[in-house]
Structures are given as structure tokens and as C-alpha cells.
Amino acid sequence: MCGVVGLVGFNPVNLALYDALTVLQHRGQDAAGIITLDGDNFRQRKANGLVRDVFEQKHMRRLRGNIGIGHVRYPTAGSSSAAEAQPFYVNSPYGIALAHNGNLTNSRELKALCERVRRHVNTTSDSECLLNIFAWQLSKFDVARPGPEEIFAAVRGVNHEIKGAYAVVALIIGAGLVAFRDPLGIRPLVLGSRIDENGKREYMVASESVALDVGGFKLERDVLPGEAIFITKEGELFSSICAENPKLQPCLFEYVYFARPDSIMNGVSVYAARVRMGTKLAHQIQRDYKDLDIDVVIPIPETSCDIAVQIARILGKPYRQGFVKNRYIGRTFIMPGQKQRKKSVRNKLNPIPAEFAGKKVLLVDDSIVRGTTSEQIVDMAHEAGAKAVYFASAAPEIRYPNVYGIDMPTARELIAYGRDKTEICKQIHADALIYQSLEDLENAVREENPALTEFETSVFSGHYITPGIDEEYFAYLDKQRSDDAKADKAWNESSEDLELYNI
């Protein structure tokens, strides 16, 4: 999962892009990058690290221009080396820079296509493939400067060639900013605008509406599935549906975990959806778990706090903050490598013994993925003196890998894979385990926007909504995304660095 932002203004955009990336930091902590368009030249800064560490004052001064795009990244199938930080750039045609959130499921075929049309891909990133396919489509038009007709035709060509999930922002020298979303709207993308001090309208596109808020932009709408938006460097906006049979099926897990609660995506308040998740989970506990003698409800901060408050209110039980979170530790779910995740849990959370001692505790979390975090937190609760520890998940069992841009590992690394609820409960050392049903989770989101008739739910249901997801693909994915594979990549990259610098 990554975060993207693009801005077309009439004043320098470097600070606004920086601020937007800062509030999108939760979507990726591996690398960050910004490219601005200064006349006919790109100005770029990207590197591994958090936004605040990547961009120093000297870098911000160099990022001149009134148009720009930005990206925060965490690695999925690709490498985590600095060379794969986004945005990417190609010089032909025109000069194009691009940033991408999502995952292309036919990246192997796309790399072969790039070779056939003589486009060079320098990294393992599917985003660089996407950039080269877009550049190839644009190169078919013999025009000095592409306009809406050429750009929308190029996006239609891209949609014809690529499969998977994608929300894209791109800059074209001499033209302006392009943004487009996959035909199923799996990955989020919103459009906003503001009026500057001279009465001119400026535009921003971003992964979440919170990026608009911090810059004083008003949320206009979501970018539609299959839609492309072109904003000229003069600030004129054009849009077109560039895919056949587009249909909105957004990723359900965005609302469970990834998105910030103050964001609105696909017409849904993330906060309100999470409150409803708590309501439905509480009703399930009242109905099916009457025998649990719960003394206190404690969230595992922070995504589950809104859910836990609602559960406590409905159950009539005290709500307590039983864990103190170290806010300077990243999100353990998106950390690369099992050893790092295990170490980070204890560094990230510390229990308050008085809230656990002698009590039967209901712990509430947004989900259980690998089980590593859940097991350690349950153990911490027991060590803090809890008499019993019950565990409630706002999401159903995650049994299947994600292929659309979320780094949920191969099936064998998921705790729910091949286990029933009793076995999972024993594995995480809990005294009882409660999962939200998929129907209730869908309804919790849908009740905010009844137009959302379907969702992308593959991690729960095993149903993949794009073609070509079969056993052969999963075998390939296993080689790319398992913890062992990532450890090998990290070693190879560090070895390359040692050779490069003769260390």
C-alpha cells in the first residue's frame, strides 16, 4: 500500500506536497519522493525513510514549480532499495514522471511487452512498468504537446494492457498533470480544489481526503473507476472514462485498517464505518458470547479505538486505554520482515498493569493477519495480571493473500490459513476469540453509502475480481513476497551497496 498526491497550482507547491505526504505517511513508511515541474525541467528528491527525514530544507528549496506529484511507499512484491523509491521518470516522449499506488498482477507480461516495444525497465517495480507502458502509448501520437484527446487515448491503451489495482498520478512536461484509477476502483483516489488569493482555482488529487484537508482543499468527489483526469499547466480540468465496463468495487480492508479515520473515500466516512463495525461486533457478542464475563474493554491502539468505544458503550462495560503506544515506532503490519515485526511490538506497546490486574479483559483489534502481534499482545495482557483475555477482531479471518497492493503475505504465513477459530485462539493464547462476519463488515461500510453494492474482499473470501489469479500466479507471488524472499533481497541489496562503495 502506498500514498500518492498530485497538485496543479499557481504558486509553489513544494510545501503543500510535503504536508500532504506527511498526513499520508500511514500508507507507507519505507520511502518518500516528490517531483515538481519547473518550466520544462523536473526537480526531484526521493529516498528511503520517513517524509520528515527525506526532505530537508535544502531539498525543499530545490523543488521549485507550481505543479508536482508525491509518493510514500512500502514494498510489496518489489524491492525496498532506494532505487525503487517513487516517483519514476522517463525522458521519452516529452518527459514523464509517475507515481502509483496498487499492484499490477500481470507485471511479468508487461516487462516482456516493454522489451518488445524497446522500453527499458531498470528496476523490479511494477510501477516502472506502468510508467513505460503509459509512455509507449503516448509515443504513438506525433504531436509536439499532448492534449486531452491524446492523453485519454493513452490511458485507454494502458487500461487495455495492464491488470490489477492502480491509482496513478503523473506529470508530462509541456502538458500538465494526469491522474487515473483502475476500472474497478480498487485503490482510492479523490479530487479536491481550492481558490487561491488571486481567485484562481487550484486542484489536488490524493489517495485520501485528509491530504486535501491539510492543504485547505475542498473535497469535490472521488475519481471514478476507469476515469482519467487531465489538468493542464494553466489549470484547466478535463476528464473522461477510459475503461470498458467500469464498476466500483473498492478494497474493503482500506476501511478496516489502512485509511485514516478522518478520511472520506468512495462517499464513506472511515470513522463512521469503524463505529458501525463496533456496533455490529457488540451485537454479535451479546447474541453469541453471553457466557463471557467481561470486566473491561481495551483497544489495541490506534485503528481499533473507535471500534472498541462503541463495543464498550453497547455492552455497558468500562472502556480503558490499557496500552501506551510509542508513536515513534512505525506500523508493525507494514514492516518488512518477521523479526523486525516481532521486535517492534514490544517496543511499540507497553501495558498499564492496573488496567489488567485481576480482570477479564476484552481486547479489540482491527484484524489478525500473521498473528505475531496478536499473540504478543495477549501475552503482555496475561503478564500484566489479566485473569482472562478475550480477543475480538473487527475483520473476518484473513485466509488468502492480497494481490492488489497490500503486503499480506503468502497464504502459509497467514495465521488463519488452514486453521479454524479454535486453533487460532489457541495459537494467540487467548481465552476466547471473536471475529466479525464478512456480511456485517460489508454492511458497516455500505450503510454509509448504499451505492456500494460490491467490494474487493479477496483476503477474506478468496474471490479475486481481476482475471489471471491462479495457482501459477500464487507460486510466483510466493517467491516474491514471502519473508524469506524479502530477506534474500535485502541481503543482495546490501551486498551490492558494499561492492559499490568498496566497504
Side-chain angles (χ1 to χ4, degrees):
M1 188 65 65
C2 303
V4 298
V5 61
L7 201 165
V8 177
F10 298 95
N11 300 283
V13 297
N14 52 354
L15 183 58
L17 290 170
Y18 175 92
D19 290 341
L21 291 183
T22 299
V23 297
L24 293 175
Q25 186 75 86
H26 60 287
R27 300 186 69 86
Q29 302 168 11
D30 181 67
I34 290 175
I35 287 183
T36 59
L37 186 53
D38 180 21
D40 288 334
N41 296 296
F42 283 134
R43 308 293 181 186
Q44 173 181 283
R45 167 63 179 171
K46 62 178 182 176
N48 278 357
L50 301 176
V51 174
R52 66 170 183 258
D53 299 322
V54 169
F55 301 102
E56 300 176 17
Q57 191 175 36
K58 62 182 179 181
H59 304 126
M60 296 300 291
R61 283 197 298 264
R62 290 201 294 264
L63 291 169
R64 298 186 296 272
N66 300 339
I67 306 177
I69 59 175
H71 187 268
V72 286
R73 175 186 189 267
Y74 91 103
T76 52
S79 158
S80 60
S81 70
E84 307 221 348
Q86 295 186 42
F88 286 113
Y89 161 78
V90 290
N91 69 343
S92 175
Y94 311 113
I96 307 171
L98 179 145
H100 161 226
N101 171 35
N103 185 61
L104 306 185
T105 58
N106 64 333
S107 58
R108 290 174 294 175
E109 292 84 352
L110 294 176
K111 287 179 182 177
L113 174 58
C114 286
E115 290 178 4
R116 291 199 301 273
V117 299
R118 300 181 181 179
R119 304 287 314 186
H120 177 65
V121 178
N122 197 51
T123 70
T124 63
S125 173
D126 62 342
S127 302
E128 193 185 6
C129 282
L130 197 161
L131 168 59
N132 276 277
I133 297 298
F134 181 50
W136 169 54
Q137 293 290 342
L138 271 179
S139 70
K140 296 178 180 180
F141 303 99
D142 186 19
V143 292
R145 169 180 167 177
E149 182 178 347
E150 291 80 20
I151 287 171
F152 294 148
V155 174
R156 281 192 289 272
V158 169
N159 287 332
H160 179 73
E161 297 291 349
I162 68 179
K163 299 175 184 177
Y166 45 96
V168 175
V169 291
L171 295 178
I172 304 173
I173 288 178
L177 182 143
V178 181
F180 56 95
R181 193 177 180 193
D182 66 74
L184 296 174
I186 299 172
R187 299 271 69 86
L189 196 64
V190 296
L191 170 69
S193 70
R194 69 182 180 188
I195 304 299
D196 74 358
E197 62 272 16
N198 296 314
K200 296 181 178 180
R201 187 172 296 276
E202 301 179 317
Y203 291 99
M204 178 183 282
V205 289
S207 293
E208 296 185 31
S209 65
V210 67
L212 308 178
D213 298 338
V214 73
F217 287 80
K218 176 186 176 182
L219 173 64
E220 299 287 347
R221 62 181 179 86
D222 294 277
V223 177
L224 300 175
E227 183 182 22
I229 289 176
F230 170 48
I231 307 168
T232 69
K233 56 190 180 72
E234 293 81 20
E236 190 174 5
L237 185 146
F238 301 87
S239 67
S240 178
I241 300 298
C242 298
E244 297 179 4
N245 304 316
K247 180 181 180 181
L248 182 58
Q249 289 185 255
C251 172
L252 191 57
F253 201 69
E254 284 274 2
Y255 298 96
V256 174
Y257 177 84
F258 264 104
R260 276 180 44 148
D262 46 345
S263 282
I264 298 173
M265 301 184 308
N266 303 302
V268 173
S269 161
V270 176
Y271 171 80
R274 288 178 183 164
V275 170
R276 284 192 168 91
M277 291 176 203
T279 298
K280 294 183 183 300
L281 199 50
H283 289 161
Q284 183 191 158
I285 293 170
Q286 288 178 323
R287 183 181 65 248
D288 300 332
Y289 296 87
K290 298 177 182 178
D291 58 321
L292 296 185
D293 184 17
I294 299 168
D295 295 318
V296 63
V297 178
I298 294 177
I300 298 169
E302 289 179 322
T303 314
S304 62
C305 291
D306 303 326
I307 301 166
V309 167
Q310 190 71 349
I311 291 174
R313 186 189 68 80
I314 293 173
L315 296 182
K317 302 296 181 180
Y319 169 88
R320 295 288 185 269
Q321 292 284 348
F323 294 98
V324 175
K325 180 180 177 182
N326 181 351
R327 299 180 186 278
Y328 301 97
I329 298 292
R331 302 178 87 175
T332 53
F333 171 74
I334 61 177
M335 285 185 172
Q338 188 78 331
K339 289 183 179 179
Q340 187 174 353
R341 284 188 292 269
K342 285 184 176 180
K343 181 180 179 182
S344 294
V345 174
R346 294 267 178 174
N347 290 343
K348 179 180 178 180
L349 296 176
N350 196 45
I352 301 172
E355 298 300 336
F356 292 92
K359 299 177 183 177
K360 295 179 180 178
V361 178
L362 176 65
L363 296 182
V364 180
D365 206 353
D366 50 76
S367 59
I368 306 173
V369 183
R370 296 170 178 87
T372 306
T373 300
S374 304
E375 178 186 344
Q376 292 189 67
I377 289 174
V378 170
D379 288 346
M380 282 193 282
H382 281 300
E383 292 164 8
K387 189 175 180 180
V389 180
Y390 314 126
F391 201 101
S393 167
E397 295 95 322
I398 295 172
R399 300 188 186 278
Y400 306 94
N402 184 278
V403 302
Y404 299 121
I406 300 177
D407 191 22
M408 288 185 178
T410 55
R412 59 187 173 83
E413 293 175 350
L414 298 168
I415 191 171
Y417 176 70
R419 294 187 177 96
D420 61 25
K421 191 170 70 172
T422 300
E423 293 171 312
I424 299 168
C425 183
K426 182 177 180 181
Q427 186 81 11
I428 66 172
H429 306 156
D431 296 287
L433 176 59
I434 305 152
Y435 276 108
Q436 182 99 265
S437 73
L438 180 55
E439 181 182 6
D440 279 350
L441 179 58
E442 288 182 336
N443 286 334
V445 178
R446 185 181 292 118
E447 286 170 14
E448 272 290 290
N449 179 7
L452 293 175
T453 57
E454 295 183 60
F455 296 92
E456 194 290 299
T457 63
S458 57
V459 297
F460 310 119
S461 64
H463 172 62
Y464 296 90
I465 60 177
T466 60
I469 311 302
D470 53 23
E471 289 304 317
E472 190 275 334
Y473 179 76
F474 283 125
Y476 163 76
L477 205 63
D478 184 68
K479 293 179 181 179
Q480 301 295 312
R481 290 173 57 173
S482 68
D483 282 333
D484 289 342
K486 289 179 180 177
D488 289 341
K489 287 180 183 177
W491 168 252
N492 291 335
E493 287 160 7
S494 63
S495 299
E496 290 169 4
D497 290 342
L498 291 174
E499 292 173 3
L500 179 62
Y501 295 106
N502 295 317
I503 295 176

